[in-house]
Amino acid sequence: MAEARILRISRVTLGLLVVTGVICAVAAGTSAALVALWAAAIAAGQAVRIPTRSAGVLYFGIVPAVTVPLLFADPIAVVSIYSLGLAGGSVAMRLRREDPARIRAFLLAEVVGFAAYGAVVVALTETFTAAGVRGDLSDLTSVVAGALAWFVLGSSARAWIGYEQEQLSVRFVWLRALADWPAVLALFATGALFGFAWPELRWWAIAVALMPYGFSHIAFVRESGTRRTYGQMIRALARIPEVAGLSSEGHAARSAGIAVAVGQDLGMTPHEVTELEYAALMHDIGRITLNEPAILKAGYTDEDIARWGAQIVAEAPYLREVARLIELQHHPYRQPGEQTDESLPASSKIIRVASAYDQAVHETGLPPLEALEVLHRGAAYDFDPVIVNALRAVLTRRGAISY
């Protein structure tokens, strides 16, 4: 239902953009060719993807969009350029056969963001002009205020779309959208620099604006590559106990998938969810020590395995917090006669629940509903009932169980 609603809204939005863009282009006092040129620049900018911290994507089309209100005094021309540019960008993404969900998210979020930015910049510019205050400082103030409006409202739109499409916690999708601020700042700074430099430098303004942005783009790409490399390395490490026959095939990946979904449902921050995923993937890494005959002879507990695994993972400074989560994964969320252990991280409790559920389903062979009931019966001490309830919500959304 949510996906169908977003599809209908995006189709109506695309149609309105085309109609609005054409009408405003005819009514504007600006050359139609110039309007078409800047609209094409915004549309073409959608071919350049900017990797972000949220693992989402921003597009370079933001840069010419930031510049437009600085160069065009006619608000009608600005509306026309934005409308035709966004419509053209959506069509270009369809021709490149990008994910339809991504296209719809781009269209709706950018319509909100561009409208907010353009309205704020045009309104402040007219206000400053009427007050007889115009100059670099007033123009910069307009751009900064417009950028804040774009960021807040655009991020809100992305959060709403993420909630509708993925049915995640509003807090999580909002924080995930806000994580992209470094890339947004670089794009807006580039557009503003070009807009301020154009009257004096003309075509040289392109080089002046793009040169510093190029270094930022390289940094974003490298950061994205580093995150991807870490993820690949951790997934490879998580496979070691399974390849050695010390853990069931696919247990780590399945447990991590459940843990991430539960963490998102509980509204954890994106950074916390990433650490949770890494810890869930490697929660059984300590089992590789069971190849040692001396350890088998001396005996061991699940807590020992978790501690050994944590010691292995802690060798990487970047994963110290992940190691702590692994070490605490077998601690009960409360002891008999005591209140909940507040010092126990929520992520460790999530891993305990996710691993136990996966084992009940794939090793014991229980149906999902019966496996969930096993966790409910252990909610007195072993499994945090809040997390078990979140798991129930996740399984219900996935269609694994029904009320």
Side-chain angles (χ1 to χ4, degrees):
M1 291 294 293
E3 185 68 20
R5 181 165 59 250
I6 291 178
L7 177 59
R8 288 195 299 270
I9 294 174
S10 64
R11 286 175 175 174
V12 171
T13 302
L14 181 59
L16 289 175
L17 286 175
V18 174
V19 173
T20 302
V22 172
I23 293 175
C24 290
V26 174
T30 305
S31 165
L34 200 55
V35 168
L37 175 63
W38 280 94
I42 293 176
Q46 311 317 314
V48 182
R49 300 179 183 179
I50 315 300
T52 64
R53 289 180 175 177
S54 68
V57 177
L58 293 174
Y59 295 91
F60 192 76
I62 293 174
V63 172
V66 171
T67 303
V68 166
L70 299 176
L71 301 183
F72 291 86
D74 184 1
I76 298 178
V78 174
V79 172
S80 178
I81 292 170
Y82 279 0
S83 299
L84 295 176
L86 289 174
S90 176
V91 172
M93 292 170 72
R94 292 177 188 274
L95 293 177
R96 292 200 305 272
R97 299 181 179 180
E98 291 200 26
D99 179 25
R102 173 177 289 178
I103 297 174
R104 292 192 288 271
F106 152 77
L107 182 63
L108 297 177
E110 294 297 59
V111 165
V112 173
F114 281 22
Y117 172 78
V120 169
V121 172
V122 170
L124 286 180
T125 299
E126 291 181 350
T127 300
F128 286 134
T129 300
V133 181
R134 282 304 303 272
D136 293 341
L137 183 58
S138 63
D139 290 341
L140 182 60
T141 301
S142 299
V143 171
V144 171
L148 289 174
W150 183 97
F151 187 54
V152 172
L153 295 181
S155 296
S156 299
R158 288 181 177 83
W160 174 77
I161 294 168
Y163 173 75
E164 289 289 317
Q165 290 181 340
E166 305 171 57
Q167 291 296 293
L168 303 177
S169 161
V170 173
R171 180 175 183 268
F172 173 78
V173 291
W174 170 250
L175 291 174
R176 184 176 63 180
L178 290 181
D180 296 339
W181 70 266
V184 172
L185 178 61
L187 291 169
F188 270 86
T190 301
L193 181 58
F194 178 80
F196 292 145
W198 174 260
E200 301 296 332
L201 302 180
R202 294 301 174 181
W203 294 108
W204 282 103
I206 297 177
V208 170
L210 290 183
M211 188 175 297
Y213 172 76
F215 293 106
S216 299
H217 187 84
I218 292 173
F220 296 145
V221 171
R222 287 184 174 178
E223 182 184 17
S224 176
T226 300
R227 288 197 306 269
R228 186 166 54 252
T229 300
Y230 270 121
Q232 292 170 345
M233 177 191 69
I234 289 170
R235 285 173 176 79
L237 290 173
R239 290 276 297 148
I240 295 176
E242 298 174 7
V243 173
L246 301 169
S247 180
S248 60
E249 185 70 23
H251 172 67
R254 291 191 300 267
S255 297
I258 294 170
V260 166
V262 171
Q264 292 171 341
D265 188 81
L266 292 174
M268 298 176 72
T269 69
H271 179 69
E272 289 171 338
V273 170
T274 298
E275 290 186 333
L276 169 61
E277 180 183 16
Y278 290 170
L281 281 168
M282 296 191 294
H283 76 280
D284 274 341
I285 195 69
R287 289 186 175 274
I288 63 176
T289 60
L290 301 184
N291 282 323
E292 291 292 332
I295 290 178
L296 295 176
K297 183 178 180 180
Y300 58 89
T301 64
D302 288 338
E303 288 78 8
D304 292 328
I305 295 175
R307 187 178 69 257
W308 296 330
Q311 290 171 355
I312 294 171
V313 174
E315 291 298 319
Y318 177 77
L319 300 174
R320 290 287 171 82
E321 179 60 23
V322 172
R324 188 173 78 94
L325 299 179
I326 293 173
E327 183 174 7
L328 298 175
Q329 64 176 297
H330 288 295
H331 286 215
Y333 85 98
R334 76 184 188 97
Q335 298 289 345
E338 297 180 2
Q339 297 296 323
T340 302
D341 185 359
E342 299 295 339
S343 66
L344 194 62
S347 294
S348 293
K349 295 186 286 188
I350 292 173
I351 294 170
R352 182 180 177 88
V353 168
S355 178
Y357 172 80
D358 184 76
Q359 288 175 337
V361 172
H362 292 92
E363 296 181 18
T364 307
L366 296 179
L369 186 57
E370 291 185 22
L372 191 62
E373 290 303 320
V374 170
L375 298 181
H376 277 299
R377 288 196 294 270
Y381 301 109
D382 291 332
F383 306 114
D384 190 329
V386 173
I387 293 171
V388 175
N389 288 333
L391 174 59
R392 176 181 285 274
V394 169
L395 295 175
T396 301
R397 285 200 304 270
R398 293 181 175 182
I401 63 172
S402 59
Y403 287 105

